[in-house]
Amino acid sequence: MKKLITATLLLACSATAVVAQGNEGYVFTPVKELKITPIQNQSRTGTCWCFSSLAFIESELIRMGKGEHNLSEMFIVNHSYRDKADRYVRLHGFLNFAQGGGFYDVLYGIKHYGLVPESVMPGLEYGEDIHVHGEMESAAAAYVEAIIKNKNGKLSTAWKKGFDGIIDAYLGKLPETFSYNNKQYTPMSFAKELGINADDYVSLTSYTHHPFYSSFALEIPDNWRWAESYNLPINEFMEVFDYSINNGYTIAWATDVSEVGFTRNGIGVMPDVETIETSGSDQDRWVGLSATEKNAELRKLVEKPIQELTITQEMRQKAYDNYQTTDDHGMQIYGIAKDQNGKKFYMVKNSWGTNSKYEGKWYVSEPFVAYKTMNIIVHKNAIPAAIRTKLGL
């Protein structure tokens, strides 16, 4: 997922029936709400992929009866930087080297490196109280670039140690052992006791440039591990969302949040702009407006119920092919709600802190999810049996 730096979010609201802008705004009522851990803040970093994946894993631990845990994102981020540097050098620099990543980076990390609690490795070793990764990224990127451009004709035996030193200086050294709840662990023994089997989780997507019911590596810059996703038709892809939530499984959700319908006030909708612009006397408000002015007007309109697009498979593919759908942000879907008109919305846990209208949670419509989802991670058992059979799972 691309870098998303947290904006300053305004206002706050209540929980059960959530109201926006008096009688004209949305009123949300949860229909099915699964347990999540407290909202975190990725702050000025591009590590949404890790925050959302571990939020998903933390909910899995609750579902499995393992209790509530706050897992360390920076333990996984540290390991991922090391692995990414190795691959970047092996590919002579032909790889996206940035803060972004994917859900599979966390699953790979759990399987190969384990887990540690947040209290063991908060990852703030550089004089900040909250995550700020710009300097670290620049230093790490400059280092690996220098390594591949060196004039010695071969790599030294010291370059990895030097790179690890940069990451450790910012995020802290990787713990070999630690104490948690009066018990000694290694990262691998801790992950084993938690009982998370990374192989139980799969990535799903829905695009037509690869055959349905096969798997392929999503062609996005942050998929640097070349992780594969199973490909489903859009109707079956959307079926997984409801089946998963209704059967007690949350979802790790990668999406494009650059759309005008994804607001900083906790709403994600896919407005039918063409119909809105040409509907009767409403045309008057659009005539002569610049693109920036139109966007400003639309941002006002999407704060209350609005007509949305009907999403097709072809629309999804066209937006992906034309760079109109990009891999911007990772979050966690944990429930289903209805607005005052009975329209379905998915309940989303974000990682931009709690200083927002819905205290760090978003409500995204079914059309938005159908159109702008890049991929999801779910437990195998969160997929309907008939679809699992088609995928050979």
Side-chain angles (χ1 to χ4, degrees):
M1 296 138 204
K2 290 180 181 176
K3 272 198 274 187
L4 272 188
I5 306 303
T6 308
T8 302
L9 303 175
L10 305 176
L11 305 177
C13 76
S14 58
T16 316
V18 187
V19 185
Q21 296 185 15
N23 294 327
E24 293 187 355
Y26 283 101
V27 180
F28 293 114
T29 303
V31 175
K32 179 75 173 182
E33 185 174 3
L34 303 179
K35 291 183 178 179
I36 58 174
T37 51
I39 304 289
Q40 303 295 324
N41 191 352
Q42 71 184 77
S43 191
R44 290 155 59 189
T45 78
T47 55
C48 60
W49 54 273
C50 194
F51 278 85
S52 53
S53 298
L54 286 183
F56 167 73
I57 294 297
E58 288 166 1
S59 287
E60 280 292 277
L61 292 173
I62 293 173
R63 179 187 65 80
M64 295 162 60
K66 300 289 186 175
E68 185 173 314
H69 298 271
N70 184 10
L71 301 174
S72 168
E73 290 84 12
M74 295 308 123
F75 173 79
I76 297 291
V77 171
N78 188 313
H79 274 293
S80 290
Y81 261 114
R82 293 166 183 244
D83 290 350
K84 189 180 297 185
D86 180 78
R87 184 163 292 188
Y88 184 86
V89 171
R90 288 184 183 280
L91 294 175
H92 301 260
F94 290 96
L95 182 78
N96 187 47
F97 189 91
Q99 296 180 40
F103 298 140
Y104 180 70
D105 294 340
V106 173
L107 296 176
Y108 183 95
I110 293 172
K111 184 173 183 177
H112 294 276
Y113 308 123
L115 289 165
V116 305
E118 175 73 11
S119 58
V120 171
M121 190 174 172
L124 292 166
E125 302 294 326
Y126 47 99
E128 298 285 352
D129 296 325
I130 197 164
H131 302 295
V132 184
H133 285 181
E135 181 180 295
M136 178 181 68
E137 178 196 17
S138 295
Y143 183 92
V144 291
E145 192 66 19
I147 295 301
I148 65 172
K149 290 182 177 178
N150 83 83
K151 298 179 180 180
N152 296 334
K154 64 177 182 179
L155 298 180
S156 74
T157 58
W159 84 263
K160 288 187 179 181
K161 185 177 180 180
F163 181 85
D164 295 349
I166 293 174
I167 303 302
D168 288 352
Y170 287 89
L171 302 183
K173 291 186 177 181
L174 296 166
E176 295 182 5
T177 61
F178 60 90
S179 178
Y180 181 64
N181 291 339
N182 299 316
K183 191 172 179 179
Q184 287 294 120
Y185 294 98
T186 66
M188 289 299 288
S189 69
F190 181 60
K192 183 177 180 180
E193 182 166 302
L194 291 178
I196 293 292
N197 179 4
D199 294 332
D200 285 339
Y201 300 91
V202 296
S203 177
L204 304 175
T205 191
S206 178
Y207 290 112
T208 58
H209 64 294
H210 291 278
F212 291 134
Y213 311 116
S214 67
S215 63
F216 70 97
L218 274 167
E219 304 93 341
I220 49 180
D222 284 332
N223 188 20
W224 61 273
R225 289 193 194 271
W226 308 320
E228 295 198 345
S229 299
Y230 288 98
N231 199 24
L232 290 173
I234 188 171
N235 60 316
E236 295 184 344
F237 186 53
M238 293 305 298
E239 186 181 342
V240 173
F241 283 83
D242 288 356
Y243 185 90
S244 180
I245 296 299
N246 286 323
N247 284 276
Y249 297 87
T250 70
I251 300 164
W253 179 49
T255 189
D256 181 347
V257 298
S258 63
E259 299 293 328
V260 67
F262 193 92
T263 78
R264 289 298 184 264
N265 283 333
I267 302 297
V269 292
M270 211 61 238
D272 186 346
V273 176
E274 184 176 344
T275 299
I276 293 168
E277 289 183 353
T278 58
S279 58
S281 60
D282 282 351
Q283 288 188 53
D284 295 339
R285 71 186 299 176
W286 303 104
V287 174
L289 295 182
S290 67
T292 300
E293 290 168 333
K294 283 184 179 181
N295 274 349
E297 287 296 316
L298 281 169
R299 290 188 187 280
K300 295 175 187 176
L301 289 177
V302 299
E303 296 293 341
K304 58 186 179 180
I306 192 172
Q307 183 171 341
E308 295 192 66
L309 292 169
T310 299
I311 309 304
T312 66
Q313 188 82 64
E314 291 72 25
M315 289 169 64
R316 268 187 61 84
Q317 188 66 40
K318 183 178 180 181
Y320 175 74
D321 291 343
N322 292 340
Y323 299 168
Q324 293 170 322
T325 294
T326 52
D327 184 34
D328 289 340
H329 194 40
M331 294 171 279
Q332 178 193 17
I333 293 178
Y334 69 94
I336 296 171
K338 295 287 182 71
D339 72 1
Q340 62 266 45
N341 300 317
K343 185 176 177 179
K344 183 197 298 180
F345 281 74
Y346 294 100
M347 303 172 71
V348 177
K349 176 186 177 182
N350 207 342
S351 55
W352 292 348
T354 57
N355 188 24
S356 58
K357 185 181 287 288
Y358 304 125
E359 299 179 333
K361 299 172 183 177
W362 259 249
Y363 293 83
V364 293
S365 69
E366 197 166 25
F368 188 95
V369 170
Y371 195 19
K372 290 297 167 175
T373 298
M374 182 64 67
N375 71 304
I376 61 175
I377 292 283
V378 293
H379 193 284
K380 291 178 182 178
N381 293 339
I383 303 172
I387 297 175
R388 284 206 312 271
T389 298
K390 293 179 182 180
L391 295 177
L393 296 173

